[in-house]
Amino acid sequence: MKWPIQSIRGTVLLGIVAGVLLPALLLLALDQWQSRDALRQQAQRDRSATLTLAATRLTLPAWSLDVSALHAIQGELLRLPAVCVVEVSELQPPGTEGHGVPPLVREQGCQADTVAAWLDTELTYEGQHVGRLRVGFDDSEIERQLAQRRASLATLVAIQVLVGMAVLAAVLSARLLRPIGRLKAQAGQLAAREPLPPQEWSTNDELGQLGQHLNTVHAQIRSLIEELEGKNEQLHRMAMFDHLTGLPNRTLMRELFAREAARARRVGGQLGLMFIDLDHFKQVNDRWGHAAGDELLVHAAARIRSALRESDLVCRVSGDEFMALFDTQRDSQTATLAAQRVVAALAQPLHLPAADEPVRVGASIGYALFPHDGEDFEALCRAADVAMYRSKEQGRGRGTAYHADMDALLRQRMDLERALRTAIEQQQLRLHYQPVVDARTGQVVGGEALVRWQHPERGLLMPDAFIGVAESSGLVRPLGAWVLRAAAAQLARWHAMGLGGLQISINVSALQLREAEFVESVRTEIDRYGLRPGSLTLELTESTLLDDSEGALRAVAALRHSGVMLAVDDFGTGYSSLAALKLVRPDRLKIDRGFVRDLPAAADDAALIEAMFGMARALEIEVIAEGVETAAQRDWLAMRGGHLQQGWLWSKAVPPEDFVAAVEQHRRASR
């Protein structure tokens, strides 16, 4: 049997009722049982005494046969409690001569239907039988007495029960029910978000101790809630803000754009979205470490914010990429001016604690307008991103507005990137070699390996058609590895043909030089083909050497140890840091064709080249002049010590078999 579920209040009240009322009922029943037995015994004693008294008083009248006296005494006896009938019989047998005495003398004091209990005894006088006495007692008297006692006791018990229940209820209410109610209310406040003062409790009983414990639990839960709220806020900031710069991230920018776009649609306004990519950021990380890179990002974020209006929104997308959303006030020129301000702000040198010299990065920016260039956030981001890549292709450090025809250019670029990757994998690349000639003897002393792409549809492509894509996409690494391997193999074949004095140079990009495994890959190719020391030259641009001077110095030292010669290509077009040249100390300088083109008529170019020759002689560095196309240029350079020359006057870049023919031709001419 399943008991019904009761509340604590109902259970306590039921317990009080059961605990007080049941013992009272049991007491009443026990008292009735004991009283009944006692009353019966008492009644038996009283009846025996009454019988004895009656026999004593009736003996003499019975002996003397005084009927009147008998009736008088019987009347007195009937007035005694519980005596109903008094009979005297056997006074004298009926018909005794000389006497008219009835055989039975009877007096009745109760109703005829009253239940009687009879006691009888013999009446004797001096040992002689004179009669028999029977006394009938009212047997219901005991029940009446029990009923009276029961009523009295029930009244007393009821008063006791009511008083006891009231006292117990008051005590339990004060010591149990009300504390439980407070505990219930206190428990309900445990998860309250508002701080509540702790409740006062006495620790003298268990409920007070429990209340104090709930105070402690409440404080702990409140502390936990505050900690969770702090964590939640932190997670929200992590989900919506960049942890490094404190700027909104792309997720929050998308939500803010939706709000601003709705407002712009309502008022017929226009928004500008600017995509900002820091130039040369990776070089800062590689040279001074990621701590410097993080400092640079923080400073760059501050400069972008300062270059824009306070109402404009700036976010960090990822890495070195930022976005800015601003109201153009229906004037496209506003976006152009904003991009120019950001470019100018980021072009200024930065002084970073982790860097030992001012850092210059700059930025390439693309911007698009809502709703003209995109109806939603993703479309506008894509348009601004396309414009940003156009800025990079045009030389970086500038801002470019999006135009619809850029999509076609982007698709062409992506197609070219995929085709170039296929070309590297399927051996569609070729090497042509442009001779380097000693103008004094006319002999070919070496050559520069220049890559060509034998496109299956477009024919032979010059480097200008694909090198830019290779550098921006990272394909310059596998492309450079192929050039190194192919040039080393060709040089080994020429040496085997008896052309042992030839030197071949290949161009190396900054991405290749910064690779940790680049030096080892050069050593591997040298060992694989058994190249002689000094027969392979790596050409590096000034910017490649200067952007990461420490890394470049380590790579140069390792390459020199492997027997590789180093040349600075396009010298004069970069920063031309003499201190850097002193540290790197290359084996050769290659004067850029831009200085040679107008010789000997251009006095400025002539003065600069003479200064380069003087510097090279002082540092004991060989000089090669590129772009020699006329005899006048040849003779002017040769007269000033520029004996090593390269240009179309001598030969254009030709396939390997034609290069061998050119070598033989110049040898015969020199003889």
Side-chain angles (χ1 to χ4, degrees), residues 436-448:
V436 175
V437 180
D438 188 337
R440 294 170 297 183
T441 62
Q443 289 188 349
V444 177
V445 297
E448 180 181 359

Side-chain angles (χ1 to χ4, degrees), residues 43-97:
Q44 187 68 27
R45 287 194 295 272
D46 291 344
R47 291 172 182 177
S48 298
T50 300
L51 181 64
T52 302
L53 175 61
T56 301
R57 295 190 62 185
L58 291 172
T59 298
L60 185 58
W63 177 76
S64 64
L65 298 176
D66 187 351
V67 176
S68 299
L70 288 175
H71 284 294
I73 294 173
Q74 285 177 327
E76 293 177 2
L77 290 174
L78 289 174
R79 286 193 291 271
L80 292 177
V83 177
C84 286
V85 181
V86 178
E87 293 180 352
V88 178
S89 61
E90 300 180 6
L91 291 175
Q92 184 172 342
T96 303
E97 185 179 356

Side-chain angles (χ1 to χ4, degrees), residues 217-481:
V217 171
H218 190 186
Q220 294 174 347
I221 291 178
R222 182 61 194 167
S223 175
L224 180 61
I225 289 175
E226 292 176 353
E227 181 180 355
L228 290 176
E229 288 176 346
K231 294 286 186 182
N232 186 51
E233 182 178 356
Q234 182 179 359
L235 290 174
H236 180 265
R237 285 196 60 83
M238 291 176 63
M240 294 296 180
F241 292 87
D242 174 53
H243 71 282
L244 179 63
T245 62
L247 295 177
N249 60 16
R250 188 185 183 96
T251 301
L252 182 55
M253 178 62 89
R254 182 184 291 106
E255 295 183 4
L256 296 175
F257 172 83
R259 185 190 66 189
E260 294 298 318
R263 182 190 60 79
R265 288 190 186 98
R266 186 170 57 253
V267 300
Q270 181 176 259
L271 299 176
L273 184 67
M274 188 185 304
F275 202 102
I276 306 165
D277 185 85
L278 301 183
D279 297 329
H280 312 299
F281 173 73
K282 187 176 184 301
Q283 297 176 16
V284 176
N285 272 342
D286 293 341
R287 182 173 181 180
W288 288 294
H290 289 280
D294 290 345
E295 293 172 0
L296 172 60
L297 291 173
V298 173
H299 285 286
R303 288 192 175 184
I304 295 172
R305 289 289 315 131
S306 64
L308 298 173
R309 297 168 300 189
E310 187 175 355
S311 60
D312 298 337
L313 301 172
V314 180
C315 85
R316 181 186 174 201
V317 180
S318 63
D320 59 345
E321 296 176 341
F322 297 84
M323 281 197 302
L325 180 67
F326 50 92
D327 186 353
T328 64
Q329 300 175 352
R330 304 183 186 179
D331 181 10
S332 301
Q333 188 65 19
T334 303
T336 303
L337 294 176
Q340 291 174 355
R341 290 197 303 271
V342 174
V343 168
L346 294 175
Q348 300 300 316
L350 282 169
H351 298 275
L352 303 179
D356 53 7
E357 62 184 56
V359 176
R360 295 177 181 268
V361 286
S364 297
I365 296 177
Y367 56 91
L369 302 179
F370 170 87
H372 180 266
D373 299 326
E375 289 286 345
D376 56 40
F377 181 73
E378 296 302 333
L380 206 62
C381 284
R382 179 182 173 279
D385 193 23
V386 169
M388 184 272 294
Y389 275 106
R390 188 60 178 269
S391 294
K392 286 187 176 294
E393 292 174 355
Q394 292 177 347
R396 304 175 187 267
R398 67 184 66 217
T400 302
Y402 171 78
H403 297 290
D405 57 356
M406 288 183 180
D407 284 333
L409 295 175
L410 178 62
R411 284 194 296 271
Q412 291 177 5
R413 182 181 178 277
M414 295 177 65
D415 292 341
L416 183 61
E417 181 180 330
R418 286 193 295 268
L420 180 58
R421 182 176 285 105
T422 302
I424 296 172
E425 296 172 353
Q426 297 182 1
Q427 302 294 319
Q428 296 177 6
L429 302 177
R430 304 287 184 267
L431 283 183
H432 286 195
Y433 299 87
Q434 186 174 30
V436 175
V437 180
D438 188 337
R440 294 170 297 183
T441 62
Q443 289 188 349
V444 177
V445 297
E448 180 181 359
L450 300 172
V451 67
R452 303 289 188 264
W453 179 4
Q454 189 63 52
H455 196 281
E457 298 175 358
R458 299 169 58 187
L460 191 66
L461 300 181
M462 296 295 106
D464 292 344
F466 59 88
I467 287 298
V469 173
E471 289 181 344
S472 62
S473 64
L475 289 175
V476 71
R477 294 186 179 93
L479 176 62

